[in-house]
Amino acid sequence: MGLRCDECGSSDLDLVFAGDCTCHHCGKYVSFTLEQALKYARNGDPLCQTMVGDYYHEGIGGVQRDFRVAQEWYLKAARQNFAAAERKIGYAYEHGINVRQNIDKALEWYLKAAAKGDVRAIYSLGVVHENYRLHSDRAAFQYYLRAAEAGYHRAQTRLGYCYYYGIGTDVDKEASFFWYEKAAAIGNPEAQYALAYFYKTGTVVPVDEVKVIELYTAAAEAGNLQALLSLASCYEIGEMVPENFSKAFDLYSQAASTGDGEGMACLGYCWEAGIGVVPDHDTAFNWYLKAAGTGDARGMFLLGCAYAEGIGTNIDMERATYWLQYAADAGEDRAQEFLDQLEKTNGVTTPGRSFRDEAPRYDDDADEEYASDVDVQDEVKDGYIR
């Protein structure tokens, strides 16, 4: 006897994430507490053991995050051939979570889960074949196709990407659109953002600006950063929507709050130019410093401009040329143009001294080992796809 659906009484439950399940019999979404899961996990129920592992993996339900304890619970369930637990152990080996990274071990566990029909494990096999030393795009494509045809939205999204760029298959824009549309329809924000491109450029389908904004909005609300920035830009310049500086400022603020360098740079420019807010050059300069600290090319460019023009700081041509050169090296074309102009008008040259330590450091990879299991909890910032 284990956990049961409170609607139909079935014990045939599919684990989504931690205490969240769907009933395989009636389709109802049901949630269980850690205490409920522990009751049956201690009696050997593999679903509940995996559920408890999720609670410790994420540090929710009143427990501290503890990957070692999580792995112990996953192993208990995996010894009973429970596919979801096998997949999670594979994920730990793939990413080196509480174990030494071992792609061969990851493959071994993913294959066990995939053999039982676990679509997330099948998708993960595609990821491993595409991204690690196997580098077999054709095999990756076949795994994505299997998982996509089984209805897994992350695989459908990746399949859309493969068809668009010809990864493991021939380029087929119509097939790309088909799979992106499928994934977008069930709420995948990456697919929604990709689909917006088709409607914006008239690729495969007619241009539809209303649809573009709808897709940007849906993806942004689900936490897709590129959609958030694209939507903010639309409101800033009045592209496809009426110009709305206040809305643009709010959206850039949301992006900046995630630690995204481009969002910080854009927010800084809002403070400099008075877009949706009363201009404040000191605040603008501080945001440029933060953006530059992430390595964002636009942030470094705007910081260099600030030093060159005395925006929120004293004019300092040595620092200006330093940051402009870094921005140019990072691919910001405007930075090289500005550097050429400064050299022509002021005779300044790029300094040898480093000023990088002066910018706050935002390490995008600092929390990578704590990233949510993308095969269980979809990594869309704070949003979940159920």
Side-chain angles (χ1 to χ4, degrees):
M1 179 71 70
L3 297 174
R4 292 185 174 274
C5 173
D6 56 15
E7 179 71 21
C8 68
S10 173
S11 61
D12 190 2
L13 304 173
D14 294 324
L15 179 62
V16 179
F17 168 69
D20 299 334
C21 298
T22 55
C23 177
H24 193 71
H25 183 262
C26 70
K28 184 180 178 183
Y29 183 82
V30 287
S31 295
F32 302 99
T33 64
L34 174 61
E35 290 71 25
Q36 289 174 306
L38 272 170
K39 176 183 176 181
Y40 296 105
R42 288 166 177 155
N43 289 326
D45 183 273
L47 170 70
C48 293
Q49 290 171 339
T50 307
M51 197 180 293
V52 172
D54 283 350
Y55 274 108
Y56 279 99
H57 187 277
E58 299 302 323
I60 58 178
V63 298
Q64 291 291 320
R65 171 175 267 166
D66 191 323
F67 293 132
R68 180 186 59 79
V69 174
Q71 197 80 334
E72 288 173 357
W73 282 108
Y74 292 150
L75 281 167
K76 289 177 186 290
R79 291 187 187 108
Q80 300 183 65
N81 298 313
F82 192 66
E86 292 172 335
R87 165 171 40 85
K88 291 165 190 287
I89 295 172
Y91 181 85
Y93 276 113
E94 179 188 348
H95 296 278
I97 299 174
N98 197 52
V99 292
R100 186 182 298 277
Q101 186 184 42
N102 188 323
I103 302 304
D104 290 334
K105 283 284 189 182
L107 277 170
E108 177 185 333
W109 284 102
Y110 283 148
L111 284 167
K112 287 181 180 181
K116 300 177 180 68
D118 188 289
V119 294
R120 295 176 179 86
I122 296 169
Y123 165 77
S124 294
L125 284 170
V127 173
V128 170
H129 278 79
E130 182 182 1
N131 295 322
Y132 294 97
R133 65 177 182 275
L134 301 173
H135 292 302
S136 175
D137 289 345
R138 187 171 295 277
F141 173 82
Q142 291 300 324
Y143 282 120
Y144 294 147
L145 181 61
R146 282 177 56 192
E149 288 177 340
Y152 188 42
H153 60 89
R154 290 187 66 86
Q156 292 170 343
T157 300
R158 192 62 190 168
L159 198 58
Y161 185 86
C162 288
Y163 272 119
Y164 192 90
Y165 290 103
I167 298 172
T169 186
D170 295 331
V171 171
D172 188 334
K173 299 294 177 65
E174 291 185 355
S176 176
F177 177 85
F178 173 83
W179 287 108
Y180 277 136
E181 188 176 43
K182 270 190 170 297
I186 54 177
N188 185 288
E190 286 73 31
Q192 290 168 335
Y193 179 68
L195 198 62
Y197 174 83
F198 285 82
Y199 284 105
K200 184 177 181 181
T201 60
T203 303
V204 178
V205 291
V207 171
D208 188 336
E209 293 184 347
V210 172
K211 190 72 174 175
V212 173
I213 297 301
E214 287 177 356
L215 288 164
Y216 278 168
T217 302
E221 288 176 351
N224 182 277
L225 231 121
Q226 289 305 311
L228 187 63
L229 291 167
S230 295
L231 189 61
S233 177
C234 288
Y235 281 110
E236 179 187 352
I237 65 177
E239 180 186 14
M240 297 182 285
V241 290
E243 186 180 85
N244 188 328
F245 287 164
S246 178
K247 183 73 172 176
F249 178 82
D250 289 343
L251 292 169
Y252 283 136
S253 296
Q254 290 178 44
S257 70
T258 69
D260 177 70
E262 185 177 352
M264 292 176 179
C266 292
L267 184 61
Y269 186 73
C270 287
W271 281 104
E272 178 186 343
I275 298 172
V277 68
V278 176
D280 186 328
H281 286 184
D282 289 343
T283 301
F285 177 78
N286 286 331
W287 279 114
Y288 294 156
L289 268 177
K290 293 177 181 178
T294 70
D296 179 73
R298 182 180 303 188
M300 293 188 287
F301 167 67
L302 291 170
L303 182 61
C305 292
Y307 276 122
E309 298 170 358
I311 298 170
T313 186
N314 295 325
I315 291 176
D316 188 326
M317 299 310 295
E318 190 177 13
R319 284 180 169 82
T321 54
Y322 173 85
W323 287 108
L324 289 168
Q325 186 60 61
Y326 257 103
D329 292 343
E332 177 58 70
D333 293 337
R334 295 175 299 171
Q336 188 59 57
E337 294 173 4
F338 199 0
L339 274 172
D340 293 342
Q341 179 183 340
L342 288 177
E343 185 173 1
K344 181 178 179 180
T345 57
N346 301 321
V348 298
T349 57
T350 304
R353 180 184 170 192
S354 173
F355 297 99
R356 290 187 71 81
D357 290 341
E358 297 181 3
R361 302 301 299 162
Y362 286 81
D363 186 356
D364 292 338
D365 298 323
D367 293 323
E368 184 176 349
E369 65 173 313
Y370 302 112
S372 300
D373 184 342
V374 295
D375 296 322
V376 183
Q377 172 190 350
D378 288 276
E379 201 171 16
V380 287
K381 302 305 176 187
D382 294 325
Y384 295 89
I385 301 173
R386 301 303 188 188

